Amino acid sequence: MSTTKNKLSADQQEALLAVLQNRFDIYIYRHKGLDWNKIQTKLEASPQKMWSLDEMERTEGEPDVIGYDKNTDEYIFVDCAAESPKGRRSICYDHEALEKRKENKPKDSAVNIAEEMGIEILTEEQYRQLQQLEKLDTKTSSWIKTPADIRKLGGALFCDFRYNTVFMYHNGADSYYAARGFRGILKV
């Protein structure tokens, strides 16, 4: 990731902060007890992370604060869009899977895109915690971080929410679907 290329202008930062603050105010149940002014101060001190949040927003992830890690003094932002982010769908799991496809390759992979954006793919545990805040992915699904032993065998994991339950499934890592993307997490 290039540190000179991946920075927002002052106007872009101001616009992003306005969007994030508005979302923070609307969805207060996601972050009870957190203070926007403290979050904004952290964001303004982290231009690279502001750029990553802007990428989450640009790809329709609707990032919002869902917690605070006291041990690391970091706020936790996650994609909170109702469905898997539109700008990150129809992708396979990782670069190895992308290279494996000989025909009908997807445009990219979840792992590649997350790395380029400077974010992490949610783990199963993080995905389930997010679903405790509100029910997401009722029509779509999202790749989740896959353990190395499963990935070594060619598989990858994804989750969705159906029948009032979070389901975790498997697929070949090289598969891709119009309704599957990934959700990201960023600590600031």
Side-chain angles (χ1 to χ4, degrees):
M1 223 169 17
S2 166
T3 55
T4 56
K5 178 183 127 193
N6 300 343
K7 288 191 179 177
L8 302 177
S9 69
D11 288 345
Q12 290 172 315
Q13 285 183 22
E14 187 177 324
L16 177 62
L17 287 170
V19 168
L20 294 174
Q21 183 175 7
N22 184 55
R23 189 171 294 131
F24 182 89
D25 293 341
I26 292 171
Y27 299 102
I28 197 71
Y29 61 89
R30 293 178 182 157
H31 34 255
K32 290 179 184 168
L34 297 183
D35 178 352
W36 173 254
N37 292 324
K38 290 180 181 178
I39 295 166
Q40 182 171 336
T41 298
K42 282 274 217 180
L43 288 170
E44 290 172 341
S46 305
Q48 186 65 43
K49 293 188 178 190
M50 287 271 292
W51 180 86
S52 294
L53 281 168
D54 192 62
E55 286 296 288
M56 292 170 80
E57 185 67 28
R58 183 185 62 76
T59 56
E60 302 181 55
E62 299 177 22
D64 197 6
V65 181
I66 63 159
Y68 173 73
D69 186 334
K70 290 178 185 175
N71 296 327
T72 61
D73 186 32
E74 293 176 307
Y75 292 97
I76 303 164
F77 283 83
V78 173
D79 289 308
C80 292
E83 302 299 337
S84 197
K86 288 181 187 176
R88 294 183 241 149
R89 293 187 196 165
S90 295
I91 53 175
C92 62
Y93 180 71
D94 62 11
H95 188 74
E96 179 183 342
L98 182 63
E99 291 301 310
K100 180 180 173 186
R101 288 198 70 103
K102 301 299 177 210
E103 296 178 6
N104 303 315
K105 281 188 177 197
K107 61 185 174 196
D108 210 337
S109 75
V111 172
N112 287 351
I113 294 170
E115 185 178 302
E116 289 169 6
M117 292 173 66
I119 63 176
E120 298 286 328
I121 295 174
L122 293 181
T123 64
E124 179 187 3
E125 179 183 1
Q126 291 164 337
Y127 187 91
R128 289 181 183 279
Q129 288 171 349
L130 178 60
Q131 290 285 2
Q132 295 299 310
L133 295 174
E134 60 193 282
K135 306 312 174 203
L136 307 170
D137 285 338
T138 62
K139 298 175 194 149
T140 58
S141 61
S142 294
W143 290 113
I144 60 170
K145 191 167 188 158
T146 299
D149 56 335
I150 294 173
R151 185 59 197 96
K152 190 184 330 179
L153 296 171
L157 303 176
F158 66 95
C159 291
D160 64 21
F161 187 82
R162 306 288 195 277
Y163 307 108
N164 208 29
T165 303
V166 174
F167 287 95
M168 180 187 65
Y169 310 87
H170 60 87
N171 237 155
D174 62 337
S175 65
Y176 65 99
Y177 300 91
R180 182 172 309 144
F182 74 93
R183 293 179 182 276
I185 185 169
L186 179 70
K187 292 184 178 183
V188 180

